[in-house]
Amino acid sequence: MPPAGTNGTGGTNGTPGTGTPGAVAPKSGPKSFASFFDRSKLRTEKGLIVVHFQDDKYYFEIPNALMNKDFLTVTRYVRMTPGAGVYGGEQANENVLRFEKGPENKVFLRTVLNVVASPDSTKPIYQAVRNSNVDPIVAAFDIKAFNRDTTGVVIDVTDFFKGDNQVVSLSANTKRQFGLASIASDRSYIETIRSFNDNTEIRTSKTFTSVPSSGGFGQPAAGPASLPAARTAGVVTIETNTSFIRLPDVPMKRRAFDPRVGFFADQISEFADTAQRASTETFIARWRLEPKPEDVEKYKRGELVEPKKPIIYYIDPATPDKWKPYLIAGINDWQVAFEKAGFKNAIIGKEWPKDSTMSLEAANYSAIRYLASDISNAYGPNVHDPRSGEIFESHIGWYHNVMKLLQNWYFIQAAAVDPGARKMVFDDQLMGDLVRFVSSHEVGHTLGLRHNMGSSSFTPVEKLRDKEWVEKNGHTVSIMDYARFNYVAQPGDNISRKGLYPRIGEYDMWAIEWGYRWTDKSEEEDRKESNKLIIDRLSKNPKLWFGGEGRGNDPRAQTEDLSDNAMKASDYGVKNLKYVVKNLPEWTKEEGDRFENLSEMYGAVLSQFNRYANHVARNIGGVEQTYKSIEQAGDVYAPTPKAKQREAVNWLQGQVFTTPSWLLDKNILNKIAEPVNNNVNTLQTNVLSSVLSASRLARMIEASERFGSTNYSALELIADLKAGIFSELRTGSATDMYRRNLQKAYVERVIALLPTDAAATPSASPVPVINTKNTDVPSIARGHLTELLAEVRSAINRTNDKVSKYHLMDIAQRIDQTLNPK
């Protein structure tokens, strides 16, 4: 490769090369700014990156000062092809990119894959880190000219941005998902490039070829055929916007992640000459909130001050006007939490300015984007500096049909106590309040907060029926919980909506205080101070416990549950569901409706009852996890109390495994379903399968070994389940169809616990399967089946009902064939 400054043919500029003898090589290489651009045609826009436009080409002017500096690039959809399931405003890609000078008058663009840090670039360890990591070069640009004062270079970026370059376009996975092939360059172009002080925005229109795969005769095509444009035109056009944001030369001071407070986190590897090993530094994601220089002393004295730069969220102008005030209120609800961190007016919701030149896709504005979609959801992401966790912006996705989800939730959980919920279309005030609650929840995510599914577990169940208490304190201490609405409140409690809605609570205020309090101390001093603060607060107020996302085995941290006792809370919930079912035909009436409303809301009742059952079941074999540092007394892991586990089994026996006849309302079923749709049995079987899962039993066996007789054992669970589900064996009484189906499901579930050749073969499933072959699980299952077989055979002759007798004979044969295969 020739050195920089040569013409690439073996000779230097203006000297003979290796071509025709005696010929002078043409002058090549970068030109001066004045000779390259025609001032009469040139358009220039100054900003983070100076952008020049001439003769349908775009040029970046990269000053030397920006070489080897990190840029965060965020690509969003502006307009998306129909049927893709993503919408304008949603994020498509994110990368860290870096310009650097290369040989032969080139500028390279690298993507930074591994974010590593070394405290001091003058130390040998810094060079070792650089030697061990090389980031890929994703593009190379010829230097076309020097800038006016020769302190930078000019490169042509037209083809780079209009082409299919992954780091500023769609990822390979996304293109596979949508069935996109090569880019059609004649139908792809740059719409605009705008540059501002802190960001440069590139908007493009890209067209991709897409050949839909064909399905069989009479069958729909698969894969990309789901995109109408692919079927109709063979191409798909997508409009995107890519934001370039320069990452700060000095990253924001990091706050070390602590699992006792629920923040999203990032991490980097750190190397130091003085350390004996590399460290992984994990830190939280948060906005940069700092007091103004003139207010620092006031802040330190504990006075509320306004931040140097507040957090501002705009409302998408496409949002229906009547919901805008509620979305803004949901944003501003967080102001009280930031006051705990010492800042007033720290977060502000605003309408999008009219006749504004601002861009909703730009990465220097945060917004709630209103997405015209039938998806029933909303989500709150953020874009942050991977080196420090500093959040730069957020585009909250607000799907139109989230209101349908809210209507279903509130109808099912609150209609028993709120007459306003007893209809299929809520009035604007009620729906607006529900929109406000979801707005607050999603904004919380964009502030860095994770779900806290354990927040509701510190509310005593009876307090949820105490009008004065619950209206003052709320039914959960965190809006980041999936606590939804107060389904425990009963019709006679006279609790207003104030005691039914979620709100910013004690935990939320604590989390914002911990994450956003400002300090001028070092990161290590801040880490120690944070630990002391957490210990102090949790010791004084256990309700500030962070329970996590609800994915583990801790029954205190569950989605959509309430109170400190799932069994008692679910009893109240079932009472309300019975009241709702009784009135469902009347409350779902709408002119011309062909019982679609009734069917939908009955399904929602089944789903809610299923939630109650699973909330209860989580207590069986439950293991409570409470993160602690070494300064705190007590264990991190402890079993759910034995009495509570047995209470859970008794609840399931009474509410689920005993046929829930209140769900079998013929006035409803005869209008919405054929007799073959046995949803109640499906629910019963699913709950039973969960309770008798191999993983749960294995965990209970291990827990009994560790915690001793204080733990509810697997043997006790099996005995209690059998006593309830097969109670007819003792009495000889007839069993109804639901009980017969449940008993068969029970036997099949226990049989499934026995090892088979298939079970011993490693599964190809990405979900890990617990191999219990060489544990006590199959031993207990085999012994239990042997005892059950004897009891069933004994009961057959005492049973007079013919169908029940046949049923027992069938069960006996299934067990016998399993234990004594031919």
Side-chain angles (χ1 to χ4, degrees):
M1 179 180 291
T6 69
N7 63 9
T9 59
T12 59
N13 294 340
T15 62
T18 57
T20 304
V24 178
K27 186 176 181 180
S28 62
K31 297 181 179 181
S32 68
F33 190 90
S35 63
F36 184 76
F37 288 111
D38 182 343
R39 293 183 61 183
S40 64
K41 299 179 180 179
L42 181 64
R43 296 207 317 262
T44 297
E45 184 162 350
K46 295 183 178 180
L48 172 66
I49 299 174
V50 178
V51 180
H52 303 292
F53 179 76
Q54 178 179 290
D55 296 331
D56 294 327
K57 289 186 177 293
Y58 288 91
Y59 300 89
F60 273 9
E61 180 180 314
I62 312 292
N64 296 334
L66 286 184
M67 292 293 177
N68 300 306
K69 301 297 183 181
D70 289 344
F71 291 85
L72 184 67
T73 62
V74 180
T75 299
R76 296 186 185 280
Y77 301 106
V78 178
R79 290 196 295 173
M80 189 56 176
T81 187
V86 295
Y87 303 89
E90 296 193 284
Q91 187 169 322
N93 211 339
E94 181 179 323
N95 290 283
V96 175
L97 302 179
R98 180 186 300 152
F99 291 103
E100 65 178 48
K101 286 187 177 179
E104 297 184 317
N105 291 316
K106 299 281 188 182
V107 169
F108 290 154
L109 184 64
R110 293 186 188 268
T111 182
V112 182
L113 298 180
N114 300 308
V115 180
V116 296
S118 182
D120 189 347
S121 61
T122 65
K123 298 293 185 182
I125 192 68
Y126 179 83
Q127 190 59 46
V129 171
R130 293 291 299 268
N131 291 343
S132 301
N133 296 273
V134 60
D135 292 311
I137 299 171
V138 296
F141 305 90
D142 291 324
I143 298 176
K144 299 296 185 181
F146 296 106
N147 63 358
R148 288 184 175 89
D149 59 4
T150 68
T151 60
V153 298
V154 175
I155 59 175
D156 182 351
V157 296
T158 311
D159 290 339
F160 176 71
F161 285 116
K162 68 178 283 190
D164 184 24
N165 291 283
Q166 182 171 313
V167 292
V168 291
S169 182
L170 308 187
S171 70
N173 285 339
T174 300
K175 285 187 288 187
R176 280 194 294 270
Q177 175 189 343
F178 296 149
L180 307 181
S182 60
I183 194 164
S185 58
D186 60 330
R187 284 158 283 175
S188 301
Y189 57 93
I190 298 171
E191 293 185 13
T192 61
I193 298 184
R194 301 290 311 280
S195 202
F196 307 91
N197 287 338
D198 301 318
N199 56 297
T200 297
E201 305 291 327
I202 304 96
R203 181 174 292 198
T204 63
S205 180
K206 299 185 192 312
T207 299
F208 296 89
T209 59
S210 180
V211 180
S213 58
S214 57
F217 180 76
Q219 299 296 319
S226 61
L227 298 180
R231 295 197 302 269
T232 303
V235 294
V236 172
T237 299
I238 298 170
E239 294 182 13
T240 65
N241 186 88
T242 298
S243 301
F244 271 67
I245 311 167
R246 182 181 170 183
L247 295 179
D249 289 336
V250 179
M252 182 184 72
K253 189 180 297 182
R254 297 173 300 196
R255 175 143 297 153
F257 169 77
D258 194 299
R260 293 168 292 180
V261 189
F263 271 81
F264 292 112
D266 222 331
Q267 65 181 31
I268 61 174
S269 298
E270 285 209 334
F271 300 84
D273 281 43
T274 56
Q276 296 184 10
R277 61 181 179 181
S279 62
T280 299
E281 296 297 320
T282 307
F283 44 89
I284 67 172
R286 57 178 180 153
W287 294 81
R288 186 193 290 256
L289 279 191
E290 301 170 331
K292 301 170 186 175
E294 63 270 24
D295 290 336
V296 168
E297 293 307 317
K298 291 181 182 179
Y299 183 91
K300 289 182 176 180
R301 291 196 300 267
E303 298 180 33
L304 288 179
V305 301
E306 291 190 341
K308 186 187 302 183
K309 183 180 179 181
I311 305 166
I312 299 177
Y313 289 82
Y314 292 96
I315 307 302
D316 188 339
T319 305
D321 288 339
K322 63 182 175 181
W323 307 131
K324 291 177 181 177
Y326 296 102
L327 291 168
I328 290 174
I331 297 167
N332 293 336
D333 282 343
W334 284 98
Q335 289 183 357
V336 65
F338 279 99
E339 289 178 1
K340 297 295 182 181
F343 296 102
K344 61 183 178 181
N345 300 320
I347 182 169
I348 303 168
K350 293 182 177 182
E351 288 197 39
W352 189 258
K354 294 182 180 178
D355 302 322
S356 173
T357 59
M358 295 158 48
S359 170
L360 266 175
E361 285 75 34
N364 55 336
Y365 299 112
S366 295
I368 296 180
R369 293 300 306 264
Y370 199 88
L371 310 176
S373 167
D374 58 3
I375 296 173
S376 299
N377 200 9
Y379 65 94
N382 64 61
V383 173
H384 63 267
D385 187 338
R387 306 166 304 170
S388 66
E390 179 184 358
I391 298 174
F392 296 127
E393 61 91 17
S394 170
H395 279 54
I396 296 171
W398 187 275
Y399 298 108
H400 176 79
N401 247 27
V402 71
M403 289 183 286
K404 181 58 182 173
L405 187 65
L406 290 168
Q407 194 266 344
N408 282 6
W409 284 342
Y410 196 73
F411 185 111
I412 295 302
Q413 297 182 16
V417 296
D418 183 358
R422 297 168 185 170
K423 51 189 175 181
M424 295 306 295
V425 178
F426 291 170
D427 61 64
D428 288 351
Q429 178 63 53
L430 174 55
M431 182 55 71
D433 289 344
L434 304 184
V435 164
R436 177 178 181 171
F437 135 62
V438 176
S439 172
S440 288
H441 178 91
E442 300 304 338
V443 167
H445 284 315
T446 69
L447 299 175
L449 299 183
R450 293 165 56 195
H451 289 126
N452 184 2
M453 303 307 187
S455 288
S456 58
S457 66
F458 282 90
T459 304
V461 65
E462 295 302 332
K463 290 296 184 184
L464 297 174
R465 297 192 58 195
D466 184 328
K467 175 180 172 62
E468 181 180 357
W469 189 93
V470 77
E471 290 181 0
K472 177 182 178 182
N473 298 284
H475 63 278
T476 176
V477 296
S478 177
I479 203 164
M480 303 313 297
D481 193 353
Y482 274 1
R484 311 305 188 199
F485 307 104
N486 183 1
Y487 58 74
V488 170
Q490 297 295 294
D493 298 337
N494 299 314
I495 293 173
S496 71
R497 290 175 180 175
K498 189 175 180 180
L500 301 178
Y501 296 158
R503 66 183 80 166
I504 306 292
E506 288 180 74
Y507 167 81
D508 305 312
M509 297 184 196
W510 150 243
I512 292 296
E513 176 188 357
W514 177 83
Y516 282 90
R517 74 191 192 286
W518 179 82
T519 181
D520 54 5
K521 295 180 179 179
S522 69
E523 290 183 2
E524 185 57 34
E525 290 174 322
D526 184 52
R527 186 197 304 269
K528 294 176 181 178
E529 186 177 88
S530 290
N531 182 50
K532 292 177 182 178
L533 182 60
I534 292 171
I535 293 171
D536 177 66
R537 290 297 179 84
L538 290 179
S539 65
K540 293 177 180 176
N541 188 358
K543 288 188 290 185
L544 303 181
W545 172 67
F546 174 63
E549 303 283 349
R551 300 190 183 100
N553 299 310
D554 192 335
R556 300 173 300 170
Q558 299 195 61
T559 64
E560 305 188 54
D561 72 328
L562 295 180
S563 89
D564 60 350
N565 189 300
M567 286 63 73
K568 294 178 181 178
S570 296
D571 271 337
Y572 287 125
V574 170
K575 285 183 180 180
N576 283 338
L577 287 183
K578 289 178 179 178
Y579 183 61
V580 169
V581 167
K582 181 180 178 181
N583 292 280
L584 211 52
E586 183 64 29
W587 292 351
T588 57
K589 276 185 180 178
E590 284 187 308
E591 186 176 352
D593 176 52
R594 297 188 301 275
F595 302 110
E596 288 96 340
N597 290 343
L598 181 62
S599 178
E600 179 182 349
M601 300 315 294
Y602 178 77
V605 168
L606 281 172
S607 295
Q608 188 67 24
F609 181 58
N610 184 65
R611 288 190 191 100
Y612 296 150
N614 283 295
H615 293 160
V616 170
R618 183 77 75 84
N619 286 271
I620 303 169
V623 178
E624 298 178 358
Q625 181 183 39
T626 307
Y627 288 111
K628 297 182 178 183
S629 63
I630 60 172
E631 296 86 358
Q632 294 172 280
D635 294 330
V636 172
Y637 297 97
T640 297
K642 186 173 185 175
K644 183 169 280 192
Q645 295 193 53
R646 182 159 268 147
E647 182 185 1
V649 174
N650 291 338
W651 190 94
L652 293 176
Q653 297 280 22
Q655 294 281 16
V656 179
F657 300 147
T658 299
T659 305
S661 56
W662 60 276
L663 279 171
L664 306 173
D665 189 326
K666 295 178 182 178
N667 188 37
I668 295 175
L669 296 180
N670 289 347
K671 293 179 174 65
I672 66 172
E674 293 186 52
V676 295
N677 293 329
N678 195 336
N679 291 318
V680 170
N681 258 145
T682 299
L683 186 152
Q684 291 176 310
T685 301
N686 289 341
V687 173
L688 179 63
S689 296
S690 172
V691 172
L692 281 176
S693 69
S695 59
R696 189 188 304 267
L697 293 173
R699 185 170 66 251
M700 295 178 75
I701 292 168
E702 292 281 352
S704 293
E705 186 68 24
R706 183 184 296 187
F707 302 118
S709 60
T710 60
N711 185 64
Y712 185 54
S713 71
L715 285 174
E716 290 172 306
L717 170 63
I718 291 284
D720 289 343
L721 285 176
K722 186 192 73 172
I725 292 175
F726 284 92
S727 60
E728 294 87 350
L729 296 181
R730 298 188 302 274
T731 63
S733 57
T735 53
D736 66 35
M737 179 192 73
Y738 295 94
R739 291 281 288 181
R740 294 195 298 269
N741 293 349
L742 179 66
Q743 289 172 3
K744 288 185 177 75
Y746 179 93
V747 170
E748 291 299 317
R749 180 62 238 163
V750 177
I751 289 174
L753 296 172
L754 298 176
T756 63
D757 292 339
T761 304
S763 171
S765 169
V767 179
V769 177
I770 296 177
N771 187 347
T772 58
K773 179 178 180 180
N774 295 324
T775 71
D776 288 336
V777 171
S779 306
I780 292 173
R782 190 177 299 276
H784 178 60
L785 288 171
T786 301
E787 294 172 353
L788 182 59
L789 176 60
E791 294 180 41
V792 169
R793 283 173 170 168
S794 176
I796 290 174
N797 293 329
R798 298 197 304 272
T799 302
N800 295 321
D801 179 72
K802 183 170 288 189
V803 176
S804 297
K805 184 185 291 287
Y806 290 164
H807 160 67
L808 293 178
M809 293 168 64
D810 182 13
I811 283 181
Q813 185 176 22
R814 294 188 192 197
I815 298 176
D816 186 50
Q817 287 179 342
T818 298
L819 297 177
N820 305 292
K822 293 182 180 179

